Amino acid sequence: MTALVTFGETMLRLSPPRGERLETARELEVQAGGAESNVAVAATRLGGDAAWFSKLPDSPLGRRIVGELRSHGVDTDGVVWTDDARQGVYYLEHGASPRPTNVVYDRADAAVTTLETGETDLDAVRDAEVCYTSGITPALSETLRETTADVLDAAQDAGTTTAFDLNYRTKLWSPEEAAEGYRALLGSVDLLFAAERDAATVLGRDGDAESVARGLAEDYGIETVVVTRGEEGSLAVSGGAVSEQGVYEAETRDAIGTGDAFVGGYLAKHLDGGSVAESLQWASATASLKRTVDGDIAVVNPEDVERVVADEGDGISR
């Protein structure tokens, strides 16, 4: 039995050296990156037990993904291999003021977009303590929308806690499409992570973070809703109680993957028996540490997180 099971797309991230443009670069750094696998890595590195499944091409590129995730201790035995598809890629060009960081996706027709429920190991999902995916996964194809719904339903029916991050991406679908997709899934979610801006843009949830969290919890029967507020920190409503957490200061080296690190830190502490307030602390600390590391993945350990929490604890629970 694996404590945490995640599923979704993981791409290869190709980046020119800092200060160089994609159109003139002669070298590209290669790393793996995907919301759900980033969460699995963070949780594993923080002492948890996590597995990630997806569908990958049986090629050097697909095997590169699996090799990198396994190097961090993530179980990838549930990956479905195919000979008839491609590996998704994204290009990241680091910015420097006034030039913004730019992401270019090359993920159309990736293997994962054809992943059907019958290809997945639902027993692994049913046996897990937590099953996690994000709003990126159902945005990738109609097939994945159906698979995502089936996986969440199977997990919840078996008593597995279902966790979901809205993770809205403007380059994948419109707010109207995303709203329809989210609403079809939220009734099967026990633990929801939502950026305040995503809740407003896609679900029309205006107001302060507490009212947004309470509204989502009540409307969809969600046990715990965590709302992230950027520099203002995060807030969670669980069983009617409110917990708040500030942001830990960090020197930002690479912000990509910060939200995934937040979720991974939260789930790691949650699976270790931590309270909502303690899980928020670990989430915030893990997110701050991720910002100091290049790549999508939070290369952290429990001692790192404990030091940040001990030195700069700023939680509020009421």
Side-chain angles (χ1 to χ4, degrees), residues 56-267:
L56 293 172
D58 190 2
S59 69
L61 300 183
R63 292 192 291 273
R64 168 63 186 261
I65 296 288
V66 163
E68 186 162 342
L69 299 183
R70 284 179 175 170
S71 73
H72 293 284
V74 175
D75 181 345
T76 60
D77 289 348
V79 168
V80 177
W81 297 98
T82 179
D83 295 322
D84 186 27
R86 62 186 298 270
Q87 172 60 51
V89 174
Y90 86 91
Y91 299 85
L92 177 72
E93 183 182 86
H94 292 286
S97 183
R99 177 174 56 84
T101 293
N102 186 40
V103 171
V104 178
Y105 290 119
D106 181 15
R107 69 204 306 184
D109 301 318
V112 69
T113 63
T114 67
L115 180 63
E116 298 181 351
T117 304
E119 298 177 282
T120 64
D121 183 3
L122 288 180
D123 285 341
V125 170
R126 295 184 183 104
D127 291 340
E129 292 183 49
V130 176
C131 175
Y132 169 80
T133 191
S134 83
I136 292 174
T137 303
L140 297 175
S141 70
E142 184 59 39
T143 297
L144 275 178
R145 292 186 201 184
E146 296 174 4
T147 301
T148 301
D150 290 343
V151 169
L152 291 176
D153 286 344
Q156 197 171 61
D157 288 346
T160 299
T161 296
T162 53
F164 186 78
D165 185 351
L166 291 186
N167 237 346
Y168 175 62
R169 295 291 183 269
T170 59
K171 293 184 178 181
L172 292 180
W173 52 359
S174 69
E176 294 75 21
E177 292 171 322
E180 181 180 357
Y182 292 160
R183 288 173 180 142
L185 298 173
L186 289 178
S188 300
V189 173
D190 301 311
L191 169 57
L192 175 66
F193 297 91
E196 195 171 37
R197 65 179 181 278
D198 291 349
T201 300
V202 179
L203 298 177
R205 301 284 172 154
D206 296 320
D208 59 67
E210 182 175 341
S211 65
V212 169
R214 289 192 184 279
L216 289 170
E218 292 170 4
D219 290 350
Y220 295 99
I222 302 172
E223 181 180 340
T224 302
V225 177
V226 178
V227 176
T228 56
R229 304 175 290 183
E231 294 181 357
E232 295 182 17
S234 55
L235 177 146
V237 171
S238 182
V242 177
S243 299
E244 293 188 60
Q245 175 63 44
V247 172
Y248 296 109
E249 292 185 8
E251 180 180 338
T252 300
R253 171 76 181 180
D254 187 345
I256 303 295
T258 299
D260 304 329
F262 180 96
V263 174
Y266 185 102
L267 293 178

Side-chain angles (χ1 to χ4, degrees), residues 262-288:
F262 180 96
V263 174
Y266 185 102
L267 293 178
K269 192 63 175 177
H270 169 78
L271 288 166
D272 193 42
S275 66
V276 171
E278 291 170 332
S279 298
L280 282 179
Q281 279 189 323
W282 273 58
S284 183
T286 306
S288 73

